[in-house]
Amino acid sequence: MKTQKVWFVTGASKGLGLTLVKRLLKEGYKVAATSRDAAALSEEVGYTGADFLPLQMDIANNDSVAKTIAQIIATLGGIDVVVNNAGYGQLGTLEELSDTEARQNFDVNVFGSLNVIRNVMPHFREKKSGAFFNISSIAGFLGTFPGWGVYNATKFAVAGFTEALSAEVKSMGISATIVYPGYFKTNFLLQGSLRTAASPIADYKEARDLEVIHNEQIIGNQPGDPENAAAAFIKVAEMENRPLHLFLGSDSFAMANSKIEAVQHDLAAFESISKSTDFQK
């Protein structure tokens, strides 16, 4: 039965992850979900049946991830769909952010997902099936957001390794999808999921202006509905041919088209220079 597929969702205590877990359980799927606090996660989800396995996991620790995945397989019988959702936003210009701040963001957003993939793949390879949904962001496709450079870089990295993963596992019957959400009405922009630079520099007007826009205009007015996003995840997961690139939200869709148009413009405008670097025959 399709409704007995096992989903593994990381970073499930809030936002899109929490909404997805609740929707999956409502529709009859088995769900393993992780957070830094399993008790709080269980309370947020509000489900006590055997189909739900809430677990505490340190996404940045490979041993913790390996033990968690082994427990999921032993308890629920396997894993069919992985949603690499754990992550947080780190604001600050490239000059402002310390090496520690930047590396911590990469540890969670990039290396955390790699830990999950590395430890799930032996199971997927054995059964010759499985689906990865790696959560990037529209900021992992269009990067011109001042003050978001390190976060953007983590999300571009997610897109990059997911493209490679999709090619590496294709012959095994496994899929990999990059998910680029736009702004959804969740608590991502609130404290906890979004961190600011410890040592801001006042000269960065564009970055400060964008912070004000997020705080005063975007919070509470995000166009995306998390419930509709959860439904989209489930619909795509049940498809035989899943996309490599999945843009969620009309804002994400529009910004993606804007980036594609900008790249096409530069390709056309500088075609002669691009091709001038070849050896002349």
Coordinates of all heavy atoms in Angstrom, one line a residue, residues 64-104:
S64 N 25.7 10.2 15.1 CA 24.3 10.4 15.6 C 23.4 10.1 14.4 O 22.3 9.4 14.6 CB 24.1 11.8 16.1 OG 22.8 12.1 16.4
V65 N 23.7 10.6 13.3 CA 22.8 10.3 12.1 C 22.8 8.8 11.8 O 21.7 8.3 11.5 CB 23.4 11.1 10.9 CG1 22.6 10.8 9.6 CG2 23.2 12.6 11.2
A66 N 23.9 8.2 11.8 CA 24.0 6.7 11.5 C 23.2 5.9 12.4 O 22.4 5.0 12.0 CB 25.4 6.3 11.5
K67 N 23.3 6.2 13.7 CA 22.5 5.5 14.7 C 21.0 5.7 14.5 O 20.2 4.8 14.7 CB 22.9 5.9 16.1 CG 24.3 5.4 16.5 CD 24.7 6.0 17.9 CE 26.2 5.5 18.2 NZ 26.6 6.1 19.5
T68 N 20.6 7.0 14.2 CA 19.2 7.3 14.0 C 18.6 6.5 12.8 O 17.5 6.0 12.9 CB 19.1 8.8 13.8 OG1 19.5 9.5 15.0 CG2 17.6 9.2 13.5
I69 N 19.4 6.5 11.7 CA 18.9 5.8 10.5 C 18.7 4.3 10.8 O 17.7 3.7 10.4 CB 19.8 6.2 9.3 CG1 19.6 7.6 8.9 CG2 19.5 5.2 8.2 CD1 20.6 8.1 8.0
A70 N 19.7 3.7 11.5 CA 19.6 2.3 11.8 C 18.4 2.0 12.7 O 17.7 1.0 12.5 CB 20.9 1.9 12.5
Q71 N 18.1 2.9 13.6 CA 16.9 2.8 14.5 C 15.6 2.9 13.7 O 14.7 2.1 13.9 CB 16.9 3.8 15.6 CG 15.8 3.7 16.6 CD 15.9 4.6 17.8 OE1 16.9 5.4 17.9 NE2 14.9 4.7 18.6
I72 N 15.6 3.8 12.7 CA 14.4 4.0 11.9 C 14.1 2.7 11.1 O 13.0 2.2 11.0 CB 14.5 5.2 10.9 CG1 14.6 6.5 11.7 CG2 13.4 5.2 9.9 CD1 15.0 7.7 10.9
I73 N 15.1 2.2 10.5 CA 15.0 1.0 9.6 C 14.6 -0.2 10.5 O 13.7 -1.0 10.1 CB 16.3 0.6 8.9 CG1 16.6 1.8 7.9 CG2 16.2 -0.7 8.2 CD1 18.0 1.7 7.2
A74 N 15.2 -0.4 11.7 CA 14.8 -1.5 12.6 C 13.4 -1.3 13.1 O 12.7 -2.4 13.2 CB 15.8 -1.5 13.7
T75 N 12.9 -0.1 13.4 CA 11.6 0.1 14.0 C 10.5 0.1 13.0 O 9.4 -0.5 13.2 CB 11.6 1.4 14.8 OG1 12.7 1.4 15.7 CG2 10.3 1.6 15.5
L76 N 10.7 0.8 11.8 CA 9.6 1.0 10.9 C 9.8 0.1 9.6 O 8.9 0.1 8.7 CB 9.6 2.4 10.4 CG 9.2 3.5 11.5 CD1 9.2 4.9 11.0 CD2 7.9 3.1 12.3
G77 N 10.8 -0.7 9.6 CA 11.0 -1.6 8.5 C 11.7 -1.1 7.3 O 11.9 -1.9 6.3
G78 N 12.1 0.1 7.3 CA 12.8 0.7 6.1 C 12.6 2.1 6.0 O 11.9 2.8 6.8
I79 N 13.1 2.7 4.9 CA 12.9 4.1 4.5 C 12.6 4.2 3.0 O 13.3 3.5 2.3 CB 14.1 5.0 4.9 CG1 14.4 5.0 6.4 CG2 13.9 6.4 4.4 CD1 15.7 5.6 6.8
D80 N 11.6 4.9 2.6 CA 11.3 5.1 1.2 C 11.5 6.5 0.7 O 12.0 6.7 -0.4 CB 9.8 4.7 1.0 CG 9.5 3.3 1.3 OD1 10.1 2.4 0.7 OD2 8.7 3.1 2.3
V81 N 11.3 7.5 1.5 CA 11.4 8.9 1.1 C 12.2 9.6 2.2 O 11.8 9.6 3.4 CB 10.0 9.6 0.9 CG1 10.2 11.0 0.4 CG2 9.2 8.8 -0.1
V82 N 13.2 10.4 1.8 CA 14.0 11.2 2.7 C 13.7 12.7 2.4 O 13.9 13.1 1.2 CB 15.5 10.9 2.6 CG1 16.3 11.9 3.4 CG2 15.7 9.5 3.1
V83 N 13.4 13.5 3.4 CA 13.3 14.9 3.2 C 14.4 15.6 4.0 O 14.3 15.6 5.3 CB 11.9 15.4 3.6 CG1 11.8 17.0 3.3 CG2 10.8 14.7 2.8
N84 N 15.4 16.0 3.4 CA 16.5 16.7 4.1 C 16.1 18.2 4.3 O 16.4 19.1 3.5 CB 17.8 16.6 3.3 CG 18.6 15.4 3.6 OD1 18.8 15.1 4.8 ND2 19.1 14.7 2.6
N85 N 15.4 18.4 5.4 CA 14.8 19.7 5.7 C 15.6 20.5 6.8 O 15.4 21.7 6.9 CB 13.4 19.5 6.1 CG 12.7 20.8 6.5 OD1 12.5 21.7 5.6 ND2 12.3 20.9 7.7
A86 N 16.4 19.8 7.6 CA 17.0 20.5 8.7 C 18.0 21.6 8.2 O 18.7 21.4 7.3 CB 17.8 19.5 9.6
G87 N 17.9 22.8 8.9 CA 18.7 23.9 8.5 C 18.3 25.2 9.1 O 17.2 25.2 9.8
Y88 N 19.1 26.2 9.0 CA 18.7 27.5 9.6 C 19.3 28.6 8.7 O 20.3 28.4 7.9 CB 19.1 27.7 11.0 CG 20.6 27.8 11.2 CD1 21.3 29.0 11.3 CD2 21.4 26.6 11.4 CE1 22.7 29.1 11.5 CE2 22.8 26.7 11.6 CZ 23.4 28.0 11.7 OH 24.8 28.1 11.9
G89 N 18.7 29.8 8.8 CA 19.2 30.9 8.0 C 20.3 31.7 8.8 O 20.1 32.0 10.0
Q90 N 21.3 32.1 8.2 CA 22.4 32.9 8.8 C 22.5 34.2 8.0 O 22.9 34.2 6.9 CB 23.7 32.2 8.8 CG 24.9 33.0 9.3 CD 24.7 33.4 10.8 OE1 24.7 32.5 11.7 NE2 24.5 34.6 11.1
L91 N 22.1 35.3 8.6 CA 22.2 36.6 8.0 C 23.5 37.2 8.3 O 24.2 36.9 9.3 CB 21.1 37.5 8.5 CG 19.7 37.2 8.0 CD1 18.7 38.3 8.4 CD2 19.6 37.0 6.5
G92 N 24.0 38.1 7.5 CA 25.2 38.9 7.7 C 26.0 38.9 6.4 O 26.0 37.9 5.6
T93 N 26.6 40.0 6.1 CA 27.4 40.1 4.9 C 28.7 39.3 5.0 O 29.0 38.8 6.1 CB 27.8 41.6 4.6 OG1 28.7 42.0 5.7 CG2 26.6 42.5 4.6
L94 N 29.3 39.1 3.9 CA 30.5 38.2 3.9 C 31.6 38.7 4.8 O 32.3 37.9 5.5 CB 31.0 38.0 2.5 CG 30.0 37.3 1.5 CD1 30.7 37.1 0.2 CD2 29.5 36.0 2.1
E95 N 31.7 40.0 4.9 CA 32.7 40.6 5.8 C 32.3 40.5 7.3 O 33.2 40.3 8.1 CB 33.0 42.1 5.5 CG 34.0 42.8 6.4 CD 34.1 44.3 6.1 OE1 33.4 44.8 5.2 OE2 34.9 44.9 6.8
E96 N 31.0 40.7 7.5 CA 30.5 40.7 8.9 C 30.7 39.3 9.6 O 31.0 39.2 10.8 CB 29.1 41.1 8.9 CG 28.8 42.6 8.6 CD 27.4 42.9 8.4 OE1 26.6 41.9 8.1 OE2 27.0 44.0 8.7
L97 N 30.4 38.3 8.9 CA 30.3 37.0 9.5 C 31.7 36.4 9.8 O 32.6 36.4 9.0 CB 29.5 36.0 8.6 CG 28.0 36.2 8.4 CD1 27.4 35.1 7.6 CD2 27.3 36.3 9.8
S98 N 31.8 35.9 11.0 CA 33.1 35.3 11.4 C 33.2 33.9 10.8 O 32.2 33.3 10.3 CB 33.1 35.1 13.0 OG 32.1 34.1 13.4
D99 N 34.4 33.4 10.8 CA 34.6 32.0 10.3 C 33.8 31.0 11.0 O 33.2 30.1 10.4 CB 36.1 31.7 10.5 CG 36.5 30.3 9.9 OD1 36.5 30.1 8.7 OD2 36.7 29.4 10.8
T100 N 33.6 31.2 12.3 CA 32.8 30.2 13.1 C 31.3 30.3 12.6 O 30.7 29.3 12.5 CB 32.9 30.6 14.6 OG1 34.2 30.4 15.0 CG2 32.0 29.7 15.4
E101 N 30.8 31.5 12.5 CA 29.4 31.6 12.0 C 29.2 31.0 10.7 O 28.2 30.3 10.5 CB 29.0 33.1 12.0 CG 28.8 33.8 13.4 CD 28.7 35.3 13.3 OE1 29.5 35.9 12.6 OE2 27.7 35.8 13.9
A102 N 30.1 31.2 9.8 CA 29.9 30.7 8.4 C 30.0 29.1 8.4 O 29.2 28.4 7.8 CB 31.0 31.3 7.5
R103 N 31.0 28.6 9.1 CA 31.2 27.2 9.2 C 30.1 26.5 9.9 O 29.7 25.4 9.5 CB 32.6 26.8 9.8 CG 33.8 27.2 9.0 CD 35.1 26.9 9.7 NE 36.2 27.3 8.8 CZ 36.8 26.6 7.9 NH1 36.3 25.4 7.6 NH2 37.8 27.1 7.2
Q104 N 29.5 27.1 10.9 CA 28.4 26.4 11.6 C 27.2 26.3 10.7 O 26.5 25.3 10.7 CB 28.0 27.2 12.8 CG 29.0 27.0 14.0 CD 28.7 27.9 15.2 OE1 27.9 28.8 15.1 NE2 29.3 27.5 16.3

